[in-house]
């Protein structure tokens, strides 16, 4: 019990209060098992499931009617088919962009407010991170198969590829500056060459992931944001065409890998 | 001949695309902290390297490298600073990011990409090892000028180098670059021991 409360301090009070209000004993057993297995990912999945089912926003509805691409409310296998084109929004969306879209259109929440805190911290995980962990986990074992046939999907893929090799910013970097040659490292961190399928597969099949160094779930939108920060560029908008195009390009390059995340990262 | 024609057509096509990409970046990014929006606009070097996938036509590369060479402002007097200060500048990976405090001293991120002192085991490999650099290459005036210039503007020597232009971009000061020259060339520096 003490151990669990200790973990609560790390993960964040709101969630733990909710868990405690449920069946505390069962959760503690689950938690102990997770620690034994070495990753708290499942806790975030549980929190995400709770958020998915929780009525929120001015419309007081849950996200359960959100269409992630396979029909309203279908969660199983949805992540493996993203990013993809959505007719109702007339654009290509990845998981996080779609979730934000549903928060706005279904729950009636304001886009700016909802997007204000999409990247959390160890003591305050974000809604987006837990939701991503939950939804992605429902695609375990399924092959990654993003949309690549609609003209807008093709356009986004081409844009993602162009962005990958586009040099700009105060330090002249492109993604390929760091992810361009095999066997290279920054300090001790290996750098995957993400335009090669054999490098992209293990990456796209394990994100989102639990980041051990910061004790939080990190998402691909966060990863794009962080790499652009290292590139000394201005900040990309969350869910922008740029970030979605890159995520589509990476996922398409790693397609056919069975999803086995949420994974664990340094 | 055929290959050449094909190459230049591809070059033109990707040139048009790079302009589209810039427009997309201008729409999709916002300034944050010191990372302002002017940074998404490519200069000539970035444009040519993007368009040619870092393999610029030789003639063009030569003339653009010559232009870059003209940007290097050499200080008067000795180019050798203090290798001890140089070591901490090489260790420091901060500078010019939106999370960095504007005006705070930046680092060179050298260990992100290079091996230098033997004491530091956590080094990257994007660039060649600089271990024993001064021992192998000497430490006279000419090599001092080369190292100073390379750090100030790596693109003057290799147009599409992945190494940032650390002086020209305003990341490192003249004094800091001199300290790094000493780190690489001073016989007492751990790099040369």
């Amino acid at each position: 019990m003490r151990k669990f409360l200790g973990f609560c301090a790390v993960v964040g009070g709101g969630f733990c209060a909710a868990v405690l209000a449920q069946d505390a004993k069962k959760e503690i057993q689950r938690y102990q098992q997770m620690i034994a297995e070495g990753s708290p990912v499942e806790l975030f999945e549980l929190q995400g499931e709770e958020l998915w089912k929780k009525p929120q926003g001015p419309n007081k509805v849950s996200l359960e009617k959100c269409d992630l691409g396979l029909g309203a409310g279908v969660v199983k296998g949805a992540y493996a088919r993203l990013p993809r084109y959505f007719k109702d929004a007339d654009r290509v969306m990845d998981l996080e962009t779609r979730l934000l879209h549903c928060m706005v259109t279904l729950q009636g929440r304001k886009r700016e407010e909802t997007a204000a805190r999409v990247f959390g911290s160890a003591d305050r995980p974000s809604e987006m991170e837990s939701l991503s962990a939950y939804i992605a986990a429902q695609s375990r074992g399924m092959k990654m198969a993003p949309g690549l046939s609609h003209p807008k999907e093709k356009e986004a893929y081409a844009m993602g590829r162009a962005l990958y090799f586009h040099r700009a910013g105060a330090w002249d970097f492109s993604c390929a500056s760091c992810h361009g040659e095999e066997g290279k490292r920054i300090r001790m961190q290996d750098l995957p060459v993400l335009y090669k399928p054999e490098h992209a597969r293990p990456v796209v099949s394990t994100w989102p992931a639990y980041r051990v160094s910061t004790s939080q779930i990190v998402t691909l939108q966060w990863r794009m944001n962080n790499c652009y920060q290292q590139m000394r560029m201005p900040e990309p908008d969350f869910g922008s065409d740029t970030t979605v195009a890159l995520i589509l390009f990476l996922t398409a390059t790693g397609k056919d890998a069975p999803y086995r995340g949420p994974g664990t990262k340094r | 001949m055929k290959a050449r024609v094909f190459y230049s057509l591809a070059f033109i096509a990707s040139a048009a695309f790079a302009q589209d990409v810039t427009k997309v970046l201008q729409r999709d990014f916002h300034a944050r902290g010191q990372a302002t929006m002017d940074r998404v606009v490519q200069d000539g070097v970035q444009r040519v390297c993007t368009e040619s996938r870092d393999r610029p036509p030789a003639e063009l590369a030569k003339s653009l490298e010559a232009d870059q060479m003209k940007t290097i402002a050499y200080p008067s007097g000795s180019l050798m600073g203090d290798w001890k200060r140089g070591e901490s500048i090489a260790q420091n990976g901060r500078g010019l990011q939106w999370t960095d405090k504007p005006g705070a001293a930046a680092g060179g991120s050298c260990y992100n990409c290079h091996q230098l002192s033997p004491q530091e085991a956590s080094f990257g490999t994007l660039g060649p090892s600089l271990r024993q650099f001064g021992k192998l290459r000497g430490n006279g005036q000419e090599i001092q000028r080369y190292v100073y210039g390379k750090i100030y503007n790596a693109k003057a020597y290799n147009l599409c180098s992945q190494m940032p232009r650390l002086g020209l971009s305003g990341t490192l000061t003249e004094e800091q670059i001199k300290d790094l020259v000493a780190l690489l060339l001073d016989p007492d520096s751990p790099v040369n021991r």
Side-chain angles (χ1 to χ4, degrees):
Chain A
M1 187 66 190
R2 192 181 302 147
K3 215 170 171 190
F4 178 69
L5 289 174
F7 189 74
C8 283
V10 175
V11 163
F15 165 54
C16 283
V19 167
L20 284 172
Q22 290 173 7
D23 189 354
K25 217 169 177 181
K26 217 172 90 200
E27 294 306 330
I28 290 166
Q29 279 168 357
R30 233 202 254 257
Y31 164 70
Q32 281 167 341
Q33 190 194 341
M34 272 166 350
I35 294 299
E37 287 163 0
S39 164
V41 161
E42 209 182 311
L43 256 184
F44 287 97
E45 288 174 26
L46 286 168
Q47 187 185 18
E49 183 174 8
E50 225 173 78
L51 284 165
W52 177 255
K53 295 177 175 165
K54 180 179 161 189
Q56 288 202 82
N59 299 345
K60 297 200 175 53
V61 293
S62 74
L63 289 169
E64 286 165 292
K65 292 242 162 64
C66 178
D67 182 355
L68 296 172
L70 302 182
V74 181
V75 172
K76 194 161 180 59
Y79 183 67
R81 306 290 296 275
L82 290 168
R84 66 192 292 160
Y85 173 75
F86 286 88
K87 202 162 181 223
D88 57 6
D90 191 29
R91 60 173 290 216
V92 177
M93 293 170 149
D94 68 330
L95 174 60
E96 293 161 81
T97 309
R98 188 62 185 173
L99 285 170
L100 181 61
H101 174 84
C102 287
M103 289 171 185
V104 172
T105 56
L106 279 180
Q107 298 183 317
R109 296 158 72 180
K110 288 213 174 69
R111 195 189 153 89
E112 290 69 40
E113 274 167 39
T114 314
R117 207 177 158 281
V118 280
F119 306 139
S121 56
D123 39 295
R124 246 184 96 209
S126 85
E127 199 180 354
M128 200 56 87
E129 290 160 352
S130 306
L131 279 168
S132 299
Y134 164 62
I135 308 275
Q138 312 310 310
S139 282
R140 256 182 231 131
M142 294 173 203
K143 286 187 175 171
M144 298 304 283
L148 291 167
S149 51
H150 190 277
K152 293 226 170 169
E153 292 167 346
K154 290 186 174 144
E155 195 186 306
Y157 173 88
M159 182 53 72
R161 192 180 169 79
L163 283 161
Y164 193 90
F165 296 101
H166 188 85
R167 301 188 67 165
W171 280 15
D172 313 321
F173 287 143
S174 72
C175 307
S177 295
C178 295
H179 304 282
E181 250 188 276
E182 298 217 19
K184 298 286 180 182
R185 301 192 316 250
I186 283 208
R187 290 279 185 164
M188 296 308 275
Q189 292 136 39
D190 291 321
L191 297 163
V193 182
L194 295 164
Y195 60 83
K196 296 196 173 173
E198 66 271 29
H199 284 225
R201 278 190 211 112
V203 171
V204 301
S205 57
T206 54
W207 280 80
Y210 179 71
R211 192 164 188 241
V212 178
S213 57
T214 54
S215 319
Q216 67 188 117
I217 291 281
V218 283
T219 64
L220 275 177
Q221 283 286 334
W222 174 83
R223 187 67 263 175
M224 298 303 102
N225 182 282
N226 186 264
C227 281
Y228 272 119
Q229 180 194 323
Q230 292 184 57
M231 290 165 81
R232 276 76 182 169
M233 284 278 280
E235 185 174 39
D237 296 345
F238 181 87
S240 59
D241 287 347
T242 293
T243 53
V244 172
L246 275 168
I247 292 168
L248 176 60
F249 171 62
L250 301 180
T251 313
T253 306
K255 74 176 163 35
D256 295 336
Y259 186 71
R260 54 189 169 86
T264 307
K265 305 276 166 185
R266 176 185 73 89
Chain B
M1 186 60 200
K2 228 182 199 163
R4 200 120 148 246
V5 171
F6 176 76
Y7 178 80
S8 54
L9 281 177
F11 197 86
I12 291 161
S14 62
F17 214 76
Q19 280 177 9
D20 292 349
V21 173
T22 303
K23 286 206 188 93
V24 168
L25 296 175
Q26 282 171 327
R27 184 195 64 205
D28 287 354
F29 282 62
H30 55 268
R32 179 167 169 189
Q34 60 176 297
T36 45
M37 282 301 285
D38 54 312
R39 291 189 188 180
V40 309
V41 179
Q42 291 181 310
D43 77 344
V45 172
Q46 294 172 340
R47 188 155 31 80
V48 165
C49 295
T50 298
E51 286 162 9
S52 67
R53 266 307 156 70
D54 292 336
R55 278 188 288 275
E59 283 301 303
L60 185 58
K62 237 170 70 204
S63 93
L64 289 177
E65 281 165 7
D67 290 346
Q68 291 296 302
M69 198 62 89
K70 288 181 210 138
T71 68
I72 302 173
Y74 286 97
S76 53
S78 169
L79 295 178
M80 291 268 251
D82 175 348
W83 66 261
K84 289 201 187 95
R85 285 199 307 249
E87 170 70 22
S88 61
I89 297 163
Q91 290 281 358
N92 182 352
R94 289 216 195 89
L96 266 52
Q97 301 183 47
W98 67 63
T99 43
D100 294 326
K101 218 165 91 202
S109 284
C110 315
Y111 280 106
N112 281 10
C113 301
H114 295 285
Q115 179 181 33
L116 295 120
S117 303
Q119 288 84 346
E120 181 52 78
S122 171
F123 58 83
T125 57
L126 282 172
S129 171
L130 301 175
R131 186 87 198 85
Q132 307 267 311
F133 191 85
K135 220 173 189 174
L136 297 168
R137 307 274 281 266
N139 60 4
Q141 259 232 300
E142 205 172 312
I143 191 83
Q144 286 180 28
R145 275 181 80 79
Y146 167 62
V147 172
Y148 188 96
K150 182 74 189 176
I151 300 169
Y152 191 93
N153 186 347
K155 272 72 172 179
Y157 305 83
N158 174 0
L159 192 71
C160 297
S161 173
Q162 304 303 341
M163 177 164 156
R165 292 172 281 186
L166 293 158
L168 188 69
S169 61
T171 308
L172 298 177
T173 64
E174 196 177 285
E175 214 56 41
Q176 286 179 306
I177 300 176
K178 290 203 294 197
D179 293 337
L180 288 163
V181 172
L183 179 68
L184 263 60
L185 300 181
D186 192 319
D188 291 334
S189 159
V191 167
N192 298 314
R193 292 180 164 245

